[in-house]
Structure formats: C-alpha cells, structure tokens
Amino acid sequence: MSPVASASLLMIASGSIHAIVNAIIKGGKSKMASRAATDGSSAVILSPAVAIVPWPAGAWGWLAASAVVHLLYLYAMIRTYEAADFSAAYPAMRGTAPLLTATLSVALFGEHLDPVVAGGIVLIGAALFALVFHRHLGRSALGWAVTTGSMTALYTIADAHGVRAAPSPFSYIVWDFVLIGMESVAIFAVATKGRVFADMRAAWRPCTAAGALSIVTYSLALYALSLGPTAPLAALRETGMATALIIAIVFLNERVTAARAVTVLGILSGAALILAG
C-alpha cells in the first residue's frame, strides 16, 4: 500500500474517533471542564514520553503557531457547544475546515490539487453545510461554529508543516499534546477563576477516556499528514461526521431524517472522489 493510501485510511479512522471524543465533551455538564479535563488527561498520559522522543528541533515555530491558534479554537468550540445541539454544532464546526484548509494550502503553500480531489473536498464541505442550514442553527452559534472551523483549518496547516519539520512525527505529536493540554487547563482555569477544577474532578472518568481517545485520533491525523498532502487528508477526516450522526441518533435519541441521510451520502461520495483522485 502506498504512503498516501495508508495516510487516507488513517485519516478516515481518525475522523470517526474524533466524533466520539467530541460527543463525550458535548455530553459533559460543564463544557469547559470537559474540554480541560480531556486535554489535561492527554497531556498527563503523554508527559513521560517527553523524556524519550527526540527534541522537536525545527518545529518549535509551528508548535507555537498551533498553540496560539488553539487559544481561540478552544474558546470558540465551547461557545458553539453551549449554543447548539451536537448534531447541529459538530457539522457546522467541521464544514468550514476542509474548504479553508484546501484554499490556504493551495494559495499560501502551493499545494497541487487534482480537479477530482478538489471536487471531493467541495462536496464534503457542501454536505456538512447543507445539514447545518437544515437544522436552522442560530446566528450566534453559527458564528462561533465557523470561527471554530476556521481555527481548525489554521492549526491543521500549522501541525501538518510542524510534523514534517520535526525530527520524527512522534516527537511533534508528544510535544503538541503536552503543550496544548497545559494551555487548555490554564485558559479555562483563568476563564472560570479556578472554578473549573471542581467540575473537572466530577468529570474525570469520561474525560480520561476522551483524553486517551484524543491521543489516538490526532496522532493518527498527524502521522497521516506526515505521509501525504494536507488538503485532501484534512477533508477525509470529516468523514467522521457519519459517525457523529450515528451517535446523535443512537445515543442522543435524535431522528433519522432525509437531510441527514443525504448528508452522509454526500460526505461519503466526496471521500470516494478524494480516494479516486
């Protein structure tokens, strides 16, 4: 199997696991505490590996850029989940990302896009936004969701370049999780004047599981990005929306509608075009 084919499969798996992580965070009583506990757990789990992996020489600038973008990403994501249902918020956040990632990758970094692959990316983004507008997402929630998706695109690009610049993908992965975990806990502690810690203690069981799954999902994504092109791989990660819809229907008791079925078909069709390209 070619490196790009392997990367594609890794990214599809990453998308499904990402949906599970976000469902756990959305289901928490305090969204800030759930996010902080999830990211903090990831950092704790991987912190011993700091002494083992190579120093991320050559990637510090990308790590810093990712950390800065994550400041707004984390806050915007929480505001989105506070303002909308999971089945409406998640596709809105994810729909912006593949289109903007592709645009920036081509415009700023000269990445080549095959027309068939470009069509697949557009189809995935369009399918996600069709679901958003069908759900009649409020203006405020939509604004925060688009902001979240935009920040997702920016940190995806930063991390794609960082994981390639580091001496090994695992070096970047470990340091990225540790830095973002510490940052997440710190910013939500400041935002809540320390009240988040009590809520984190109450949510530690599901969020520890989410933290472990978060390591799996983004490690798969980062390793995939070290093997192949940014734009199509980032779009393939959005196939996780199909998993998100299953979660919403099976566990959150939301209805199967024609719009949701068409959305899933659109996402899967877009993924098929990317894989064919």
Side-chain angles (χ1 to χ4, degrees):
M1 185 179 293
S2 70
V4 173
S6 298
S8 298
L9 293 178
L10 291 174
M11 201 58 103
I12 291 171
S14 172
S16 291
I17 301 170
H18 184 268
I20 297 171
V21 172
N22 276 263
I24 293 173
I25 293 171
K26 169 62 177 173
K29 182 177 180 182
S30 166
K31 307 301 181 288
M32 287 189 182
S34 295
R35 182 78 245 189
T38 296
D39 293 338
S41 296
S42 298
V44 169
I45 292 169
L46 283 183
S47 58
V50 168
I52 302 172
V53 298
W55 193 252
W60 282 113
W62 295 112
L63 280 167
S66 180
V68 170
V69 173
H70 266 84
L71 285 171
L72 184 54
Y73 162 77
L74 290 168
Y75 182 75
M77 187 196 73
I78 295 305
R79 291 299 301 268
T80 305
Y81 280 152
E82 288 176 342
D85 292 339
F86 180 68
S87 60
Y90 192 73
M93 293 190 300
R94 306 309 300 182
T96 310
L99 302 177
L100 185 56
T101 300
T103 301
L104 293 176
S105 295
V106 172
L108 299 182
F109 299 100
E111 186 172 298
H112 172 72
L113 272 185
D114 181 276
V116 174
V117 173
I121 294 171
V122 171
L123 184 55
I124 289 174
L128 291 172
F129 273 114
L131 180 61
V132 172
F133 290 115
H134 175 77
R135 293 281 299 174
H136 305 296
L137 202 63
R139 182 177 299 177
S140 175
L142 181 60
W144 284 115
V146 171
T147 300
T148 305
S150 300
M151 295 304 104
T152 300
L154 291 177
Y155 79 64
T156 297
I157 291 172
D159 288 341
H161 286 81
V163 76
R164 295 165 191 160
S168 80
F170 301 105
S171 171
Y172 191 89
I173 289 168
V174 168
W175 278 97
D176 190 53
F177 271 105
V178 170
L179 292 175
I180 298 302
M182 293 189 298
E183 175 185 64
S184 178
V185 174
I187 62 173
F188 290 131
V190 171
T192 62
K193 298 181 180 179
R195 294 189 301 273
V196 73
F197 292 112
D199 293 330
M200 286 173 64
R201 285 194 294 272
W204 74 268
R205 286 185 177 86
C207 290
T208 298
L213 289 172
S214 183
I215 293 172
V216 175
T217 178
Y218 206 49
S219 294
L220 291 175
L222 288 176
Y223 189 73
L225 289 169
S226 74
L227 299 174
T230 306
L233 290 175
L236 281 177
R237 198 170 188 231
E238 307 316 322
T239 56
M241 189 58 228
T243 302
L245 287 175
I246 292 171
I247 291 171
I249 292 165
V250 175
F251 296 101
L252 302 180
N253 298 318
E254 298 185 7
R255 292 187 305 109
V256 179
T257 64
R260 290 177 180 175
V262 170
T263 296
V264 171
L265 289 175
I267 293 168
L268 296 180
S269 298
L273 286 176
I274 293 172
L275 294 172

